[in-house]
Amino acid sequence: MVNIQQWDEFQKSAEELYSMSPKTTRYVAKYRHVEGKLVLKVTDDRTCLKYKTDQLQDLNKFERLNRSLMAKMHNRAPQESASPSSHTLPATAAAPVTISSPSLQQGGGGKAKKNKRK
């Protein structure tokens, strides 16, 4: 198990490890709220890379690594976005979608309330 102290080195090593063996590489993120520590682990059963941090600044780096690895897993180029509000929806997703069900519209199908007797 290799504990890496520098983020850039960990990210580069993790992406190289995934590139060499994409079928067997696993990526685990574990957060311990009590200690306030985030532990990232990337392994392919032969090599194990581990990065530990308690810095809040590293969360943005963690999200960037997630996007990069997920893009590689989906065989796409990673997308760089500045903020979540800058995402645009496709034209088909912009229209509101309503789901209608006959049982929901009529209000039936369930048990009726019992009247309390005095």
Side-chain angles (χ1 to χ4, degrees), residues 80-95:
E80 294 296 324
S81 63
S83 66
S85 62
S86 66
H87 295 292
T88 57
L89 295 175
T92 57

Side-chain angles (χ1 to χ4, degrees), residues 6-105:
Q6 300 296 322
W7 174 261
D8 295 330
E9 183 182 344
F10 174 75
Q11 183 173 1
K12 181 181 174 187
S13 300
E15 289 178 355
E16 284 178 7
L17 184 65
Y18 179 77
S19 296
M20 287 190 293
S21 57
K23 298 254 186 221
T24 59
T25 301
R26 294 186 309 275
Y27 174 56
V28 178
K30 181 169 66 171
Y31 179 72
R32 290 192 41 92
H33 181 69
V34 174
E35 297 173 359
K37 291 192 177 188
L38 175 67
V39 178
L40 304 175
K41 182 175 158 184
V42 180
T43 184
D44 70 346
D45 293 331
R46 284 177 268 142
T47 307
C48 182
L49 306 172
K50 204 170 198 181
Y51 179 78
K52 296 178 185 178
T53 186
D54 59 356
Q55 299 297 314
L56 187 62
Q57 303 162 356
D58 289 339
L59 288 178
N60 288 336
K61 296 175 185 176
F62 167 62
E63 289 178 11
R64 192 171 54 232
L65 177 65
N66 272 344
R67 282 194 303 266
S68 173
L69 287 175
M70 290 298 157
K72 288 181 181 185
M73 289 176 188
H74 288 279
N75 202 16
R76 296 181 190 159
Q79 295 178 351
E80 294 296 324
S81 63
S83 66
S85 62
S86 66
H87 295 292
T88 57
L89 295 175
T92 57
V97 177
T98 53
I99 300 173
S100 61
S101 171
S103 63
L104 291 175
Q105 291 176 350

